[in-house]
Amino acid sequence: MNIYVIMKRTFDTEEKIEINNGLIDEEGAEFIINPYDEYAIEEAIVLREEHGGEVTVLTVGDEDAEKELRTALAMGADQAVLLDIEDLDEEPDHYTVSEMLSAYLKDKEFDLILGGNVAVDDGAGQVGPRLAEKLGINQVTTITKIEINGEKAVIERDVEGDVETVEAQLPLLATAQQGLNEPRYPSLPGIMKAKKKPLETLDLDDLDLEEDDIEAKTKTLERFLPPEKGAGKVLSGETNDQVTELVDLLKNEAKVI
Amino acid sequence: MGKKVLALGEIRDGELRNVTFETIAAAKQVAGDGEVVGVLLGEDVSEFSNELLYYGADRVVKAEHYNLGNYVTDAFTQVFSQVVEAEEPEAIVMPHTSPGKDMAPRIAEKLKCGLISDVVDIEGSEEDATFTRPIYSGKAFEKKTVTAGTLFVTIRPNNIPALEKDEGHTGDVSSIEVEVNDLRTVIKEVVKKTSGTVDLAEAKVIIAGGRGVKSAEGFKPLEELADLLGAAVGASRGACDAEYCDYSLQIGQTGKVVTPDLYIAVGLSGAIQHLAGMSNSKVIVAINKDPEAPIFDVADYGIVGDLFDVVPALTEELKKVTAEA
């Protein structure tokens, strides 16, 4: 099994968001592997343990992302590749990222590409299906279970709460949903070994791409925080009185029931 | 001028989902004084085409095929692409639901165009349209615009209001011959876990439980309240991790992001990851023993008390009020 995992470095979900000059303030923020991508990395390692082969983790970003790639190597991935977009003049979008990934993957041999179904920062979930289309391969999104059976994968996927069992032909791009597995923590020997594992950095030239070819098709005009909520009303009195007051407020003030 | 906009409807379990009408409303806004073409894909969709017209579509295109009974990526992507080829729209709007999330990026890649996903608000129309979408699961928002190619967006259910239904609104309904080739994925089985319950994404009211609910059994009073209000039941990560309920109910930065009219948080402290998934709900009620719980910071109304007293009392009070009405 040759498996590639596409992953993204994201803000820790514990972080509060602040905006400075229209950009998300990254000063002092903790970064992590996007939690959904972590499920993908774990699953790739489990599948390799069962079927043999190699796991390559792949990200688009700048050199800061090396830290998260090393974490994935410490979990057990065999090698890592950073597609460096530090030199891009314009802000990238999902189109840019998919073009970068497909430029790298188009002449590689693989059975499976895994990734998270969405990243917790941007939340669009576009890159997986875009990449599958660009590579002309099959896709199954929001998976919660996968078994490889020769040329096929038997998969359970989450469809807004329902469970759908599908049989999908390889090569396949599958995106992870919560519930797929419990990602392992890197062990100390894992962390030591990760330092010696190969981590390759490629830029646009290495991928034979021109900036014009991968220019974003969308543009962010503005970022803003939701309006601060005023303090709410905490009710008091006996339970029954509070409940009566609440129902009255919901009905007559908030008008939601 | 105006734009020609395709608006994709969605059929689930033999019913047209509400988000279809919201999609048409969004398409109308993008179109300016252009044309909105409602699109329906399915095995047999004739019974729904008029509904699309009543909610504002100028005409409807049906693509029917025996492989379109359930959503599968290859069949829907191929067929929708054929509709796009035939209609040559300048813009496309789809629901940001399970099928939309799966299919829209593939279609966008095929069309080599941008895609703005999970839109909750639209300002302006045609070239000047700007689209607001949540980032960091609603901890912040961004306004985006399309700079090149087809204008393509998916909209989050429950945010862009549908137009008033007008049964006098008519329009042309046509069929398009479509082909489906090589399905690389086959559905073997679907286990309905949500049948008979209200879908979290579309629910107007959500009752969510946290660790304070203490057990799977502890969700009972929440379910009774939900039944009475026609609400969906959700949960915090804590409650899911403790196996009080299924992960499909989880609301938060990992899990579902919801924006109902009324969110009742029960025995749920309000960790920042959970708040990200629900704090943009229109009205929030918190019921918690701990007056210091962060959930009270985002709540419009709070009751400090034992949920096992408060929730049944609330259900009884609501029964009285409904009986009076």
Side-chain angles (χ1 to χ4, degrees), chain A:
Chain A
M1 286 285 292
N2 209 6
I3 307 174
Y4 284 87
V5 182
I6 49 174
M7 57 174 270
K8 185 179 187 186
R9 172 181 194 259
T10 60
F11 253 52
D12 193 320
T13 51
E14 298 275 354
E15 292 285 341
K16 283 218 165 78
I17 303 297
E18 282 175 44
I19 293 173
N20 260 327
N21 294 325
L23 293 173
I24 302 294
D25 191 350
E26 299 191 347
E27 190 68 37
E30 286 289 321
F31 282 82
I32 54 170
I33 297 173
N34 171 39
Y36 292 99
D37 298 343
E38 226 176 5
Y39 299 129
I41 296 164
E42 174 66 29
E43 201 62 24
I45 297 167
V46 170
L47 288 170
R48 182 201 57 199
E49 282 164 356
E50 194 180 333
H51 299 277
E54 276 204 332
V55 174
T56 308
V57 287
L58 187 57
T59 197
V60 176
D62 57 26
E63 63 178 2
D64 289 339
E66 285 181 9
K67 176 175 159 276
E68 284 70 32
L69 288 171
R70 288 283 174 209
T71 306
L73 293 172
M75 286 172 74
D78 299 292
Q79 51 195 357
V81 180
L82 168 63
L83 305 180
D84 195 336
I85 50 167
E86 200 160 11
D87 292 335
L88 284 190
D89 293 326
E90 302 285 330
E91 210 178 336
D93 73 354
H94 314 96
Y95 179 78
T96 315
V97 173
S98 314
E99 296 302 299
M100 294 284 291
L101 291 168
S102 66
Y104 174 80
L105 285 163
K106 64 175 195 270
D107 48 14
K108 302 285 183 291
E109 278 188 27
F110 53 83
D111 307 286
L112 192 61
I113 300 174
L114 290 169
N117 85 83
V118 75
V120 294
D121 50 3
D122 175 72
Q126 287 190 28
V127 170
R130 272 187 183 270
L131 179 60
E133 175 65 30
K134 183 83 185 177
L135 295 171
I137 61 169
N138 197 11
Q139 84 183 36
V140 179
T141 50
T142 57
I143 72 167
T144 51
K145 192 178 173 189
I146 180 167
E147 273 170 29
I148 305 291
N149 201 340
E151 289 300 297
K152 281 188 174 141
V154 180
I155 292 175
E156 288 181 9
R157 63 184 295 257
D158 164 49
V159 183
E160 295 177 17
D162 292 337
V163 182
E164 195 176 270
T165 307
V166 301
E167 211 174 75
Q169 280 172 28
L170 304 182
L172 170 73
L173 183 145
T175 68
Q177 174 66 306
Q178 192 168 34
L180 179 62
N181 54 42
E182 281 283 338
R184 69 193 69 189
Y185 288 102
S187 65
L188 195 58
I191 294 168
M192 299 310 288
K193 265 195 234 162
K195 291 180 179 162
K196 297 202 189 88
K197 287 182 181 173
L199 192 160
E200 185 183 15
T201 301
L202 301 170
D203 64 13
L204 260 59
D205 283 347
D206 299 320
L207 294 170
D208 221 0
L209 286 172
E210 298 287 336
E211 183 159 358
D212 285 354
D213 303 334
I214 59 168
E215 195 176 40
K217 307 279 189 187
T218 59
K219 190 174 165 187
T220 300
L221 304 171
E222 190 188 342
R223 295 182 178 84
F224 58 97
L225 298 177
E228 289 256 352
K229 276 198 122 170
K233 206 180 274 182
V234 176
L235 310 181
S236 57
E238 293 292 312
T239 301
N240 281 333
D241 297 336
Q242 290 192 49
V243 163
T244 310
E245 192 184 348
L246 177 64
V247 171
D248 180 60
L249 287 166
L250 292 177
K251 211 169 163 223
N252 299 314
E253 188 177 89
K255 298 190 169 44
V256 285
I257 54 170

